Amino acid sequence: MKEIVLDRLQKIEDLEQRKLLKNIMTGVFLPLVEYQEEMNRKLEERVFQQVAETEERYDIYTTVCPRDELDPLHEFLYPMLQQDLERTLPDLASIRAGLGKKKEVKLLTVFLACEFLKVRELIERPRVFGGKLVTTQGTRNIQVRLRQNRAYIQEIEALHTIFQQNGVMWKTINHPYAYKFFDMLLISCEGEIAEEEEIIEISVHLEEYEPYKKIDMIPLWNIECLTLKNLGFPVPADDRVNFEHVLSVRKTGTEHGYLVDGDETSIRYSKRTPEEITIVSPCEKSGTWDVRKITQPTQGGISSRQAYALLSNKKRKDRFLDGFASKQAAVVRARGEIMRIIHSFEAADCFELTHIEVGTMSDRVAETYNMNPFLLDAIRLESEKKTIRLHFTAHTENHFILHDMMSFLVSEVQMYFPDYKCEGVLS
């Protein structure tokens, strides 16, 4: 606007009129224009800030590390399961009892650092492998089979339930490592095991999977379990039936996300202000509350080096359209919308979406899997759904989590298009 005014002033040939008008414009009009531009800028900042207000607080970061390299003082990464902190071997009494009843006994949990297609072969066609059980009385030949460990997948499902209880929008957890853990189940052992024996070592050779085998690995994420106490006494809620319990997050960090963990009988709903969480509950007494803190990495923090890539379900910054779309209930059913969903995530940096097929297509071996298996469609039959097949090319090669990261992107698309069967193909 200022340039337009100056341009018009330069075109006035009468110098007296130009001087008079210039004084008027610079004295009154231009400050008004500058004030309006400043207000427009602040309004734009507020709109962008409100649209992306809380979503970033709930970004989940994931990785995996050897147990020996676990940093108990890490700034924001914690074990998914606290029991992983203890190194345990099965006791021979349970092994003896299991073998006596012809039941399989869990020996160890292993991590297979191989791509999804190899993991799927092992899931679909269980194999038996040979190994050695070394005890204080000698060495015995054993046979084991591998079964996918679903403890971490169930933990993700439990987290989804907590997200729902707190009314926070769910984003697929990009945790490919959680799907590559397998339990070694003992199915036979040479000879009889005496009561006084003690286990010294367990070794199993996984044949072609042996190079991928990693023992004592722990999956991590940025979720910490806290117990917070009420601030003061509960006060009656607006409905005059329940009570408001206020928890302060000033000490634990206002920049992080918080989810109250509880059932419907104890928590009606919760709401968040920058420094407090208010829980509306039928409980009228003060007490402590279980809270999941989703710690976000801080700029300038000192994080330890990770042997495996740190992944997240974080979205790109400064994309107003993505933040605005997340606030809308309606889904734009277009190919452009699919592209927007995929490229809204930083995880899409490794891929390029080349083209999209939609329709009834012949079945082919799936190269992706659903990372939200607990989101069930109870209305439509899978066999009656049309297919959305997304074709990707990868910018990197020989990365063992490439298909898993593609599965993450496809799973996000699947949530928006439940009446289709979404799958990804790597070209």
Side-chain angles (χ1 to χ4, degrees), residues 1-10 12 17-34:
M1 180 60 74
K2 291 171 65 177
E3 286 73 15
I4 294 173
V5 171
L6 293 173
D7 183 61
R8 295 292 187 274
L9 286 173
Q10 291 297 329
I12 299 176
Q17 288 186 5
R18 185 194 294 183
K19 181 180 179 182
L20 179 62
L21 187 57
K22 185 177 181 180
N23 290 336
I24 295 174
M25 298 302 287
T26 55
V28 179
F29 185 72
L30 289 182
L32 184 63
V33 170
E34 291 173 352

Side-chain angles (χ1 to χ4, degrees), residues 11-202:
K11 291 181 179 178
I12 299 176
E13 296 181 354
D14 188 327
L15 296 181
E16 282 298 324
Q17 288 186 5
R18 185 194 294 183
K19 181 180 179 182
L20 179 62
L21 187 57
K22 185 177 181 180
N23 290 336
I24 295 174
M25 298 302 287
T26 55
V28 179
F29 185 72
L30 289 182
L32 184 63
V33 170
E34 291 173 352
Y35 176 78
Q36 184 61 46
E37 289 178 347
E38 178 65 15
M39 291 299 103
N40 289 344
R41 188 186 61 78
K42 290 183 177 179
L43 177 62
E44 185 181 27
E45 288 180 354
R46 283 177 54 196
V47 170
F48 276 88
Q49 190 176 10
Q50 288 179 5
V51 168
E53 182 185 9
T54 59
E55 191 173 347
E56 290 183 356
R57 291 176 180 168
Y58 298 94
D59 291 337
I60 307 294
Y61 291 79
T62 63
T63 187
V64 66
C65 79
R67 190 192 310 273
D68 295 337
E69 297 179 10
L70 178 66
D71 181 3
L73 300 178
H74 199 282
E75 294 167 338
F76 72 101
L77 289 177
Y78 310 93
M80 289 184 72
L81 298 175
Q82 287 300 309
Q83 54 264 39
D84 285 343
L85 297 175
E86 302 174 2
R87 190 194 304 269
T88 57
L89 283 175
D91 64 288
L92 278 176
S94 62
I95 293 177
R96 213 169 32 246
L99 292 175
K101 297 177 183 177
K102 299 189 181 302
K103 290 185 177 179
E104 297 173 335
V105 182
K106 176 182 170 182
L107 293 180
L108 298 170
T109 298
V110 296
F111 174 70
L112 297 182
C114 58
E115 60 181 9
F116 161 67
L117 300 181
K118 283 189 170 294
V119 170
R120 187 187 57 196
E121 288 177 0
L122 205 54
I123 296 173
E124 293 179 349
R125 292 187 288 275
R127 299 262 302 274
V128 175
F129 301 95
K132 302 286 185 184
L133 175 65
V134 182
T135 70
T136 51
Q137 300 294 322
T139 302
R140 292 180 171 81
N141 293 320
I142 58 174
Q143 284 189 318
V144 302
R145 75 175 182 91
L146 296 188
R147 179 184 64 189
Q148 188 181 28
N149 182 310
R150 300 191 63 82
Y152 306 113
I153 302 173
Q154 291 168 356
E155 190 67 12
I156 293 174
E157 182 177 356
L159 182 66
H160 169 262
T161 303
I162 298 173
F163 265 74
Q164 298 299 302
Q165 290 171 343
N166 286 266
V168 179
M169 189 183 72
W170 173 256
K171 282 193 299 184
T172 305
I173 305 297
N174 185 15
H175 201 335
Y177 310 109
Y179 298 84
K180 298 181 187 296
F181 282 85
F182 284 80
D183 289 334
M184 284 185 177
L185 303 178
L186 178 65
I187 56 178
S188 69
C189 179
E190 182 182 45
E192 293 188 0
I193 301 173
E195 292 184 4
E196 63 274 14
E197 288 186 58
E198 294 182 3
I199 295 177
I200 298 176
E201 181 184 354
I202 298 172

